[in-house]
Amino acid sequence: MTASLSERMRERLATQTAEIEKLTSAELGKLAKTLKQESELAQNSMRDAIHATTQELNASMTPIRILARWWWVFLMLTWIAIGVLIVSIFGGQKTGIELYRTFEFEGRKFLILPEGTQAMTCRNDEQSIPCVVLPVTE
């Protein structure tokens, strides 16, 4: 009887172990399925967030890209503006008649020759033209 009781106990233990393994396997399968679904949802939401952030960064970078493409034009325009400003402030060098005083009489403009100059008539090829002899400067 003892052998049969112990035999029955072994069989019952084997049956219970199989049932426990079956239940544990089923629960582990459910848990794995739930974890897989949750991780896929998290992965999809992260992918969407990364995509949205990338779109926002691309949109905000557009002015910087335009500036990067045209930086040399802006640089040249800046230097031209600085040059114009310097010339307008310091007035560039005057040349020609602007150096001499003039006066107007009866609607005509006359040149006043500076001291040390002498009015003459010069020949250029076959033409006679008025000219001024300038003083020698060293």
Side-chain angles (χ1 to χ4, degrees), residues 39-109:
S39 67
E40 285 175 351
L41 285 173
Q43 184 181 13
N44 288 338
S45 68
M46 278 200 274
R47 185 181 305 124
D48 292 343
I50 290 170
H51 184 70
T53 305
T54 303
Q55 295 275 343
E56 289 175 21
L57 284 174
N58 280 338
S60 65
M61 293 292 288
T62 300
I64 294 172
R65 285 190 188 116
I66 290 171
L67 182 65
R69 279 189 210 127
W70 293 96
W71 71 270
W72 59 272
V73 173
F74 295 129
L75 181 66
M76 290 175 65
L77 290 175
T78 302
W79 280 106
I80 289 170
I82 290 171
V84 167
L85 183 65
I86 288 172
V87 167
S88 68
I89 288 174
F90 296 109
Q93 191 178 26
K94 295 182 179 183
T95 58
I97 293 180
E98 294 174 1
L99 288 174
Y100 302 107
R101 296 181 304 152
T102 61
F103 71 95
E104 288 190 33
F105 179 72
E106 296 179 354
R108 295 177 66 190
K109 198 170 203 175

Side-chain angles (χ1 to χ4, degrees), residues 25-38:
S25 178
E27 286 298 315
L28 286 174
K30 286 179 189 176
L31 181 62
K33 185 178 178 183
T34 304
L35 286 174
K36 183 178 177 183
Q37 288 174 345
E38 288 178 8

Side-chain angles (χ1 to χ4, degrees), residues 13 15-26:
L13 181 63
T15 307
Q16 285 179 346
T17 305
E19 282 181 28
I20 290 172
E21 284 179 5
K22 188 176 173 183
L23 288 171
T24 305
S25 178

